Amino acid sequence: MGLKRVTILGSTGSVGRSTMALLDAAPPGQFAVEALVAGRDVTALAAQARRHGARLAVVADPACLGALREALAGSGIEAAAGPEAVVEAASRPVDWTMAAIVGAAGLRSTLAALGHGGTLALANKESLVCAGEIVLAAARRSGATLLPVDSEHNAIFQALDARDPAAIEKIVLTASGGPFRNADLATMRAATPEQAVRHPVWSMGAKISVDSATMFNKGLELIEAARLFPVPEERIEILVHPQSTVHGLVHYADGSVLAQLGSPDMRTPIAHALAWPARMAVELPKLDLIGLGRLEFFAPDPGRFPALGLCRQALQAGQGATTILNAANEVAVALFLDRRLGFLDIAAVVEETLADLGNPPVDGLEAVLALDAAARQAAGRIAARRPAA
């Protein structure tokens, strides 16, 4: 594998830090960093940029530009800030880009990165949820390679033979079940942000951790899978798998089932995407099947986790509905983390927002962004009418 130029969008988040750890451990001369983009964590961003000799470091919050310039003084690394600077960083031609900016905020930079071709490692599932048709069309136009980084989609990518879609019976995404897998509704109704982000297996950011607790994360992954793989929604199944060892399965017409297994560590799917089509050695705990002892699978409870049904309904309705669902969920999760909305109210707010706005057509990026904004306003109004948490 020759020298690969890379850009990391969201370098100080959970996925970004795991990606940087792989670059830290790689042999010299294997990777060169073009640009690093973060939200507001100037200290971590500057340290990453200095360590890897990045050409450009960008902070999304314009108010942090002065601090970033000071932190990079004397390094020769270019500093920039603001939404347009994020897009410019993503637009720079490189061999490989990690798209790990959480939420719809990552959409413009994802599209910018696809514009120059190369390989895009997609950890920002919301881009495909709120603008799937636009993202996939952009990849086709530029000839970019789109590689899924979510552990479940990466698992399916490894196990799926896309040459003969008719031979695929179904695909299965697994879910840990989150911290409330065995909780009753009364416990879930009283859940605090601290409890919701305490994931039993994975180490993730607050928003994704809450999505895992509500199972919206798995519903969003269902939508993403339907847009990534040649399998219709009705042949995508979700199973709760507490051990988080089997990340995805593909059932074939001849009765074969291919599964991808691994320790619950995001460095594994990131490394697969980083080295693809080759593989790279990663120093992390290897899967110990004897020590693990057993693998369990359960059907999710739709009564306690209505998010799964809402995501299926939105996917069936169309692109406009999935854009609304994603925006309403982001608003509701933020309000929950701010203690202004109850845990069970997250799904209720999303459901009511979908009912209010329906499935309006979206025919381009500006239409998606306008609908996203309208959905956020509607979700905020609906949430304000509910009792405070």
Side-chain angles (χ1 to χ4, degrees):
M1 184 167 59
L3 178 69
K4 185 177 288 188
R5 294 205 63 80
V6 303
T7 286
I8 316 296
L9 307 174
S11 67
T12 62
S14 176
V15 171
R17 288 175 186 268
S18 292
T19 307
M20 298 304 297
L22 292 172
L23 298 182
D24 289 340
Q30 194 167 347
F31 299 102
V33 176
E34 175 68 27
L36 298 176
V37 174
R40 302 185 76 254
D41 192 343
V42 168
T43 301
L45 176 63
Q48 291 172 341
R50 283 181 175 274
R51 192 163 67 247
H52 288 276
R55 292 184 178 179
L56 171 68
V58 177
V59 63
D61 186 349
C64 297
L65 179 58
L68 180 61
R69 283 176 171 159
E70 183 177 345
L72 293 175
S75 68
I77 299 169
E78 182 184 353
E84 294 308 314
V86 172
V87 171
E88 193 278 326
S91 301
R92 294 191 173 195
V94 292
D95 301 300
W96 190 91
T97 301
M98 168 58 77
I101 297 175
V102 175
L107 177 56
R108 284 192 184 275
S109 57
T110 295
L111 290 171
L114 286 171
H116 61 67
T119 296
L120 180 78
L122 186 64
N124 170 259
K125 66 175 67 65
E126 292 86 356
S127 291
L128 281 180
V129 171
C130 67
E133 296 163 8
I134 296 169
V135 170
L136 295 175
R140 287 192 297 269
R141 282 195 303 271
S142 67
T145 298
L146 192 61
L147 297 179
V149 171
D150 273 342
S151 61
E152 296 80 7
H153 300 92
N154 183 264
I156 299 300
F157 179 76
Q158 293 191 52
L160 185 140
D161 184 351
R163 293 172 299 177
D164 186 9
I168 302 167
E169 186 176 89
K170 67 177 179 180
I171 65 176
V172 178
L173 307 175
T174 60
S176 70
F180 305 130
R181 178 171 63 87
N182 296 316
D184 57 29
L185 283 172
T187 300
M188 295 170 74
R189 187 172 292 110
T192 65
E194 290 78 14
Q195 292 169 327
V197 301
R198 201 175 299 142
H199 197 280
V201 180
W202 294 93
S203 175
M204 305 180 292
K207 195 270 181 182
I208 299 176
S209 295
V210 174
D211 279 349
S212 178
T214 61
M215 291 197 75
F216 260 112
N217 195 45
K218 208 54 50 180
L220 296 176
E221 289 174 6
L222 165 73
I223 298 170
E224 184 181 8
R227 290 173 175 161
L228 278 174
F229 305 118
V231 180
E233 171 267 325
E234 64 270 16
R235 289 197 277 131
I236 303 174
E237 185 178 353
I238 292 172
L239 291 178
V240 175
H241 172 48
Q243 291 79 22
S244 294
T245 299
V246 179
H247 302 297
L249 308 96
V250 181
H251 291 242
Y252 289 94
D254 62 3
S256 299
V257 181
L258 300 187
Q260 190 270 345
L261 287 74
S263 299
D265 192 310
M266 279 303 296
R267 286 175 294 175
T268 296
I270 295 169
H272 178 265
L274 186 57
W276 188 86
R279 290 186 184 266
M280 60 190 291
V282 179
E283 290 296 325
L284 53 79
K286 303 303 181 184
L287 182 61
D288 178 6
L289 290 175
I290 295 175
L292 186 65
R294 64 179 181 177
L295 301 174
E296 300 172 295
F297 300 90
F298 307 97
D301 180 356
R304 290 184 300 124
F305 299 102
L308 294 176
L310 291 172
C311 289
R312 281 196 186 274
Q313 293 165 22
L315 177 57
Q316 292 164 1
Q319 181 65 77
T322 59
T323 301
I324 293 166
L325 176 136
N326 181 73
N329 179 59
E330 288 190 17
V331 169
V333 169
L335 291 172
F336 168 71
L337 288 169
D338 200 32
R339 305 180 195 278
R340 295 161 58 195
L341 192 68
F343 180 77
L344 293 182
D345 290 326
I346 295 173
V349 166
V350 174
E351 182 174 22
E352 192 171 341
T353 306
L354 283 166
D356 275 11
L357 298 185
N359 180 38
V362 286
D363 55 5
L365 177 59
E366 295 310 317
V368 167
L369 296 175
L371 183 56
D372 176 88
R376 289 172 189 275
Q377 292 178 350
R381 291 194 302 270
I382 290 165
R385 295 199 296 262
R386 305 188 73 84

